[in-house]
Amino acid sequence: MQNRPESVSRLTPDLIRILAPNPSPMTYWGTNSYLLGDGAARVVIDPGPDLAAHREAILGALPQGGRISHILVTHAHRDHSEGAQALSQATGAPVHAFGDFRSGRSPIMASLAEQIGGGEGVDARFRPDVALAHQEVLATPAGSITALHTPGHMGNHLCFHWQDMVFSGDLIMGWSSSLISPPDGDAAAFRNSCTLLRDLAPACLFPGHGAAVEMPEQRIDFLLTHRANREAQILEALSARPQSLIALTKTVYTELPATHIPAAARNTLAHLIDLHQRNRILATPELSENAVFSAR
């Protein structure tokens, strides 16, 4: 891990990052909250976990007499959204997001939700004050911000396009690939969302965790290739013999310690659901995390 930066960092003249004190193997340095604008009224992207110290740090980063006009949330994982309600109550600013934690799921993920577990870190109580549609443009004191519905890591995931940069939440990060854990995570949606961001060609990505991604196209291409290679490994393993989810994960993720296998199995399951939808594999007796998977 790189050295943890200062808790409050001015990244550009009108962009401040406030780093939440919640570092972990899943959050790296902690959650990045962003403060946009250079006037008295500012916009917050991802208020982070519900920690009084972090909320005070966000408010303390405002200019004297400043206020928060909008609270934008990329997705309903607790480390991004849980602090939204308290920050809204403290400032009067409305919370904007795509929807609650079930919003934006594909039909197959909605139908499998009761069968395949998942739900790690989900903020089930989260409800935005304002639901944002794909490509909806917000007029804010910081300028126009466009919401982009980018499921993959989570069905209700939004990225936010501002000036020549995109706040990419947990979809694209520089330090790690995104966890794709069904029914919230969706491998097919992840590919589509990555392609959308790549085609948008932003100058820079500011993720929910870790440092800025200064070469977005190169990073997105790397992640798409990584997913394609993992899919090829899964198909090769299943062509040798039918396997359970855990056995297949251990076959494919040979470099991981045993403690990391359960998390890796969620990524494997996302690939299996996608492959099943594309008629590349069979699941016996039916598609679930307890099925036996085999090549067609």
Side-chain angles (χ1 to χ4, degrees):
M1 181 186 293
Q2 297 177 1
N3 291 333
R4 192 175 191 271
E6 296 292 325
S7 296
V8 178
S9 303
R10 186 173 294 276
L11 304 179
T12 73
D14 51 359
L15 176 62
I16 295 172
R17 179 184 63 206
I18 304 96
L19 184 57
N22 63 330
S24 77
M26 297 300 292
T27 63
Y28 199 52
W29 297 326
T31 301
N32 294 328
S33 296
Y34 295 100
L35 200 59
L36 286 61
D38 59 3
R42 307 287 175 98
V43 175
V44 169
I45 293 179
D46 278 351
D50 187 15
L51 298 172
H54 185 55
R55 184 163 59 253
E56 290 166 7
I58 293 173
L59 296 174
L62 290 168
Q64 186 173 5
R67 65 182 180 88
I68 293 172
S69 64
H70 298 70
I71 299 169
L72 311 184
V73 175
T74 59
H75 63 293
H77 276 148
R78 290 193 297 269
D79 58 317
H80 293 258
S81 62
E82 198 172 43
Q85 183 177 6
L87 186 62
S88 178
Q89 290 173 344
T91 62
V95 177
H96 298 68
F98 186 78
D100 69 12
F101 77 100
R102 294 186 182 90
S103 300
R105 286 178 178 171
S106 65
I108 181 62
M109 291 304 173
S111 69
L112 290 173
E114 300 302 320
Q115 304 173 38
I116 58 175
E120 303 88 356
V122 165
D123 185 357
R125 297 183 297 176
F126 177 75
R127 302 288 188 279
D129 300 309
V130 180
L132 297 174
H134 177 54
Q135 295 187 327
E136 183 170 346
V137 180
L138 276 173
T140 80
S144 296
I145 300 173
T146 303
L148 302 171
H149 184 218
T150 46
H153 174 68
M154 193 169 190
N156 72 348
H157 195 286
L158 290 175
C159 291
F160 295 104
H161 187 197
W162 178 62
Q163 299 179 358
D164 61 351
M165 62 196 77
V166 168
F167 297 87
S168 57
D170 282 1
L171 183 74
I172 306 293
M173 300 176 287
W175 65 282
S176 175
S177 59
S178 180
L179 175 66
I180 304 178
S181 177
D184 307 303
D186 185 318
F190 178 82
R191 284 196 304 273
N192 293 337
S193 294
C194 285
T195 300
L196 184 154
L197 285 196
R198 184 181 61 192
D199 292 347
L200 190 63
C204 186
L205 300 178
F206 288 100
H209 308 280
V213 177
E214 297 180 349
M215 300 178 70
E217 183 177 359
Q218 180 177 324
R219 180 60 179 167
I220 291 170
D221 284 343
F222 172 84
L223 292 172
L224 287 172
T225 299
H226 170 72
R227 293 294 174 187
N229 290 341
R230 191 67 77 191
E231 178 182 290
Q233 289 179 297
I234 289 170
L235 289 170
E236 181 180 3
L238 292 181
S239 69
R241 65 184 186 281
Q243 298 189 51
S244 68
L245 173 61
I246 293 299
L248 177 62
T249 301
K250 291 177 178 178
T251 299
V252 171
Y253 288 85
T254 55
E255 73 283 5
L256 285 184
T259 53
H260 289 54
I261 291 298
R266 304 308 300 177
N267 276 325
T268 303
L269 180 59
H271 279 291
L272 290 168
I273 293 170
D274 179 36
L275 289 166
H276 189 270
Q277 288 300 103
R278 291 154 53 200
N279 294 316
R280 302 290 304 278
I281 64 169
L282 297 169
T284 306
E286 63 181 1
L287 183 59
S288 76
E289 59 187 340
N290 299 314
V292 174
F293 299 94
S294 57
R296 277 192 175 272

